[in-house]
Amino acid sequence: MAAESEVSFSDDLDGSSIRIGVLRTRWNDEHVSSLVDGIKAGVKECKVTEENIFIKEVPGAYELPYAAKLLAMSGTVDAIICCGVLIKGDTYHFEYISDAVTKGIMDVNLSTMTPVVYGVLNCVDEEQVKKRASNENGGHNHGEDWGKTAVEMAIMKKEAMSKGGAAGGKVKALAAMGLGGGADKEKGDKAVEKPGFF
């Protein structure tokens, strides 16, 4: 029996128009392949079609940020998932690679404004990897969550970048949280339509 996910997602995530790029490593191939299967299951649960899932391999985790930047710059996908597995060894190699990959992926997020999901497991041993890359023996395949996260963030970006933001009451809800846009009718203010969800 699989463990429950530690994060919850809306049941109505509609990724039917979303294109997802998955960059996966060949290093630790067995575990990464299982995670990619989880990613595909997660995005398909959100109505992403098979033809809108792009998968490309790179040798190892260190190559993920560069590949993500190229894919983001191509404009062919709405979100990217970088998928890999790093297992601690006897040297400091693990720490240096983990740190560089983490910073590199965040940089691609911010510099390209393309959602890039951090789907890299950083584990002390293979047993930890198995519990996070499979739904067997009480584990949970984190790839499923990464897939749903990519869809949610791609939808958020589309809403943020569209004129007027999301339809309906979202503008009022954001105004109630102090995030602008709403008019104060008691003061006679006129509503100002702003681009995006802010």
Side-chain angles (χ1 to χ4, degrees):
M1 185 164 133
E4 295 276 329
S5 171
E6 294 179 24
V7 64
S8 62
F9 294 93
S10 171
D11 290 333
D12 62 351
L13 283 177
D14 183 359
S16 56
S17 66
I18 301 294
R19 295 162 301 165
I20 301 292
V22 179
L23 298 171
R24 53 140 311 154
T25 63
R26 291 191 297 271
W27 200 269
N28 292 311
D29 182 62
E30 178 185 349
H31 300 304
V32 175
S33 293
S34 180
L35 288 164
V36 170
D37 289 343
I39 290 168
K40 289 165 74 174
V43 299
K44 286 178 181 177
E45 227 178 285
C46 298
K47 304 178 188 136
V48 176
T49 61
E50 185 74 38
E51 58 268 9
N52 281 340
I53 304 169
F54 167 84
I55 299 173
K56 179 71 178 164
E57 293 182 354
V58 297
Y62 194 78
E63 289 73 39
L64 287 170
Y66 178 72
K69 182 110 181 208
L70 292 175
L71 185 55
M73 289 170 53
S74 77
T76 58
V77 296
D78 298 302
I80 299 167
I81 304 165
C82 291
C83 183
V85 171
L86 296 168
I87 302 172
K88 186 166 175 54
D90 295 330
T91 68
Y92 287 110
H93 185 256
F94 171 83
E95 284 83 359
Y96 290 127
I97 297 296
S98 294
D99 188 53
V101 171
T102 301
K103 288 178 181 172
I105 290 172
M106 178 55 74
D107 181 57
V108 176
N109 265 295
L110 300 176
S111 68
T112 67
M113 295 306 294
T114 300
V116 184
V117 176
Y118 185 80
V120 180
L121 293 180
N122 298 269
C123 297
V124 174
D125 56 38
E126 196 161 358
E127 195 57 39
Q128 286 183 347
V129 177
K130 288 177 183 176
K131 282 198 168 266
R132 290 157 178 80
S134 169
N135 287 329
E136 296 175 12
N137 300 318
H140 174 69
N141 189 328
H142 288 274
E144 297 168 12
D145 300 333
W146 300 336
K148 293 175 185 178
T149 298
V151 172
E152 183 174 334
M153 297 309 292
I155 291 169
M156 179 184 284
K157 180 185 176 187
K158 283 187 175 202
E159 288 177 353
M161 303 309 261
S162 68
K163 180 152 177 53
K170 290 196 178 182
V171 172
K172 288 181 185 176
L174 288 167
M177 293 186 289
L179 296 174
D184 186 340
K185 292 187 180 180
E186 289 180 21
K187 292 183 181 176
D189 291 346
K190 288 186 176 181
V192 178
E193 192 170 309
K194 295 182 178 181
F197 60 82
F198 291 116

